[in-house]
Every structure is written in structure tokens, then in C-alpha cells.
Amino acid sequence: MLKVGVLGAGHLGKIHLRLLQESEKYELIGFFDPFTKNAQKVATEFGYNLFNSIDELIEAVDVVDIVTPTLSHFECAKKSIEKGRHIFIEKPIAKTVLEAEAIRTLASQYHVIGQVGHVERFNPAFIAAKGMIDNPMFIETHRLAEFNPRGTDVPVVLDLMIHDIDIILSVVKSKVINVHASGISVISETPDIANARIEFENGCVANLTASRISMKNMRKTRFFQKDAYISVNFLSKESEIVRIQDAPKNPDEFAMILQNDEGVKKQIYFENPEVVNNNAILDELETFADAIVHNTTPIVTLHNGTEALRIAQWIIDCFKTGDKL
């Protein structure tokens, strides 16, 4: 079992602490949080060992789980890596692309393995469908959330949209060549609603919408590719595949048949792949443990996290400063 310590005991940090305590692949050594009142409350309530400093925690573990505010990701990662500790770091990987690249360089220099917490890669609906996603040429995503004051210190692109950016980059094997975007601040100092169009060298186009002031929650992505449409509902954890294939000579009487002007007939097939329920956060933590033990590449690498942040920053740079409704 790998000895692990958690930096940060906020909302997500407490979830990580609980899951690491339950995991059979980690031995939870303890945590550190600079907000003393909250840290002592968590330690008292759940019985976790509270360290007096980041340095003390790093010295006691093999793996550091960084679940602190984004502003502190770089410093926490730097301290951990320089002590030879493997790092799991929540998304976004860092505040800036320069910081993210520095983390990657340090990890390579110290032969440390790192993974970034893009948890939607482990969503069972995406896992069920991803094997059928093949060279999509148009992608549309909607990630809408009801207002929650937590997270409004960063643009909605880094808070929500970056999940979809990472998913898209994981399935489109082509270079991003252009980005168009707009963002509007409604009640926060940073944009609460954003729309982005990402264009790839191979001709694929992705249209992303994110909002944190919606009346209802939605986390849905649609992939359009030759002869198929794939829908992944990350919220309800459901997937649907719609295929279009040449119609058989004698189709079933209930078959859905389309015919074009040239008389070519196509049949539409509907498929709902089996979705195996899981705990996505536990899975991302435990697959990271596997990568460390077997010295293999993590599912979401530091490079992946850096590229998602790079595109997110490109989108933010497109926004007009000071826009408000």
C-alpha cells in the first residue's frame, strides 16, 4: 500500500480523505490544511491525522494528493516533487500554463509520476461509449450548473468547461489550430457564462457551452462522426449510440429506414451500451496507484492537464474584459 497524504481539507479534499481511507491501495497517513479552524474540525470529526506543516506531511508519505485552491497548486507540487513524491493534483493543474509546464519539467527531472484530476475521464457513461468514438468531426457540449458561490473566484472555463476540453482533447487526435470564444460576467467578477468554438487541423469542430447560473444542471456531450452519433450524459450516466448503415434487402417491419434522392437506403440502429456504475473519484485515485506501482503512464497525465489548461487559457484570452449583462 502506498503511503498518501492530502493537502487541502475543503469540500473535495474531505471526499478524497474519505475515499483514500477506504481504499485498499493506499494507506492514508494524514492531511494538512492551513486554515487551522477547519483543519482541526475535520481531524476531530473524522479522526484523520493532522500535520503541522506541508513539509512534515511530504516527509511522511510516498504520494501527495493536492486538493488545494488552484493558486497554490504550483508551490505544493514543487515542494512534493523536489522531495521525490508522486503527485495527484486536482484540475486545473495550475494557475498558468507556465506553472503547468514547470511542474511537468520538475516531474521529469525528479522521475516523479503525476496525474491530474480530470474526473470525467472516469465517468461510467464516457467509459461505456469511448470505445465507439472514432474520428468525430463535430462535437457539442453543454455543462450547465445552478449557482454555487464555491468556485466563482475563477472563470467558468476553469471551473466547469475545462472538464469538456479535456474529454475532447482525449478523443480528437489532431492539433488545435483556432479558438473563438465569448464570456459574460453576470454576478461574479469573472465570466459566469461562456461559449467556445475549437477548430482542429483535421477539420473537426467542437462547440462548448458552460454556465454556472442556470436553472437546471446539465452535463451532456454529443459526438458526430461518419455514420454515427454518440451522446454521453455525464450527469445521468447514460450513453446512446445512433448508427446509420446500409439497409438490408429485407428489413424488419419495425426498422427505421431513410432513403435519399438517389434511392440509397440507410437503416438507423439505436444502442445503449451497458454502463457499469463506479465511484469516479476513487477510480482515478486507484488507477494512479496502479501507475505508480507498475511504472506505467497515468490515464490523465501532467501533459494532458497542461494541454487542457492551455486551451482553456486560449478561450479566456478571447473574452472581452469587463463584459457584463
Side-chain angles (χ1 to χ4, degrees):
M1 296 176 72
L2 294 166
K3 294 181 179 179
V4 64
V6 177
L7 296 180
H11 173 74
L12 187 55
K14 285 188 286 188
I15 294 173
H16 279 227
L17 282 164
R18 175 176 58 81
L19 293 173
L20 289 168
Q21 181 86 308
E22 296 172 359
S23 173
E24 296 181 357
K25 299 191 177 186
Y26 290 100
E27 178 188 354
L28 177 62
I29 301 300
F31 76 101
F32 172 75
D33 190 305
F35 298 99
T36 307
K37 186 176 180 180
N38 177 64
Q40 290 176 342
K41 180 181 177 183
V42 171
T44 300
E45 185 174 351
F46 300 102
Y48 306 131
N49 182 35
L50 172 59
F51 282 84
N52 293 319
S53 70
I54 290 179
D55 295 326
E56 285 186 16
L57 181 140
I58 291 172
E59 287 291 344
V61 301
D62 306 310
V63 181
V64 179
D65 182 10
I66 302 170
V67 202
T68 61
T70 305
L71 292 175
S72 63
H73 281 187
F74 174 72
E75 285 302 322
C76 293
K78 183 174 184 291
K79 281 178 175 285
S80 303
I81 293 169
E82 288 177 344
K83 288 292 184 178
R85 305 311 189 245
H86 303 294
I87 58 166
F88 182 96
I89 188 166
E90 259 308 321
K91 66 84 191 168
I93 182 174
K95 179 186 175 185
T96 67
V97 174
L98 284 177
E99 287 184 349
E101 290 175 338
I103 290 172
R104 287 179 58 201
T105 300
L106 282 168
S108 176
Q109 179 182 346
Y110 285 88
H111 305 290
V112 160
I113 297 176
Q115 180 166 316
V116 183
H118 284 286
V119 70
E120 292 289 38
R121 293 272 203 109
F122 300 83
N123 188 297
F126 178 65
I127 291 172
K130 70 177 182 179
M132 303 169 197
I133 300 172
D134 180 23
N135 195 33
M137 296 308 292
F138 180 70
I139 303 170
E140 187 167 33
T141 77
H142 288 86
R143 187 168 292 264
L144 315 178
E146 297 175 358
F147 181 72
N148 183 340
R150 185 173 62 87
T152 55
D153 57 327
V154 296
V156 71
V157 175
L158 296 179
D159 184 26
L160 298 179
M161 188 184 284
I162 196 167
H163 284 293
D164 299 311
I165 294 170
D166 174 68
I167 289 291
I168 290 167
L169 294 181
S170 77
V171 299
V172 180
K173 307 304 181 184
S174 183
K175 179 183 176 182
V176 175
I177 58 172
N178 209 354
V179 168
H180 304 277
S182 60
I184 301 294
S185 175
V186 181
I187 58 177
S188 308
E189 292 301 315
T190 58
D192 298 299
I193 306 171
N195 178 261
R197 176 185 170 94
I198 301 174
E199 299 172 358
F200 292 85
E201 195 170 54
N202 68 350
C204 177
V205 173
N207 188 45
L208 301 84
T209 300
S211 169
R212 58 185 174 203
I213 53 167
S214 296
M215 298 300 292
K216 64 177 183 178
N217 295 321
M218 176 186 290
R219 289 156 45 195
K220 192 170 186 178
T221 300
R222 303 171 180 87
F223 303 88
F224 298 85
Q225 60 196 46
K226 182 175 175 58
D227 297 333
Y229 154 76
I230 299 164
S231 173
V232 177
N233 192 324
F234 291 91
L235 186 59
S236 65
K237 296 179 173 56
E238 297 173 312
S239 297
E240 182 179 46
I241 317 295
V242 180
R243 299 185 185 278
I244 301 177
Q245 298 178 351
D246 291 336
K249 291 183 178 180
N250 300 302
D252 183 272
E253 61 177 312
F254 299 108
M256 187 175 292
I257 305 295
L258 300 178
Q259 181 174 325
N260 63 16
D261 287 342
E262 288 75 34
V264 176
K265 293 182 179 181
K266 298 283 185 176
Q267 182 170 345
I268 299 178
Y269 299 86
F270 295 89
E271 179 184 349
N272 293 101
E274 181 184 1
V275 175
V276 180
N277 286 329
N278 68 339
N279 185 311
I281 297 177
L282 179 60
D283 279 3
E284 67 177 351
L285 291 168
E286 292 200 331
T287 59
F288 181 49
D290 292 338
I292 294 169
V293 170
H294 301 293
N295 195 28
T296 55
T297 302
I299 291 176
V300 186
T301 64
L302 298 177
H303 171 74
N304 297 149
T306 300
E307 292 310 301
L309 179 60
R310 192 187 310 279
I311 301 305
Q313 190 58 58
W314 192 347
I315 291 168
I316 292 168
D317 290 343
C318 291
F319 296 160
K320 294 180 180 179
T321 59
D323 280 358
K324 289 184 180 290
L325 288 180

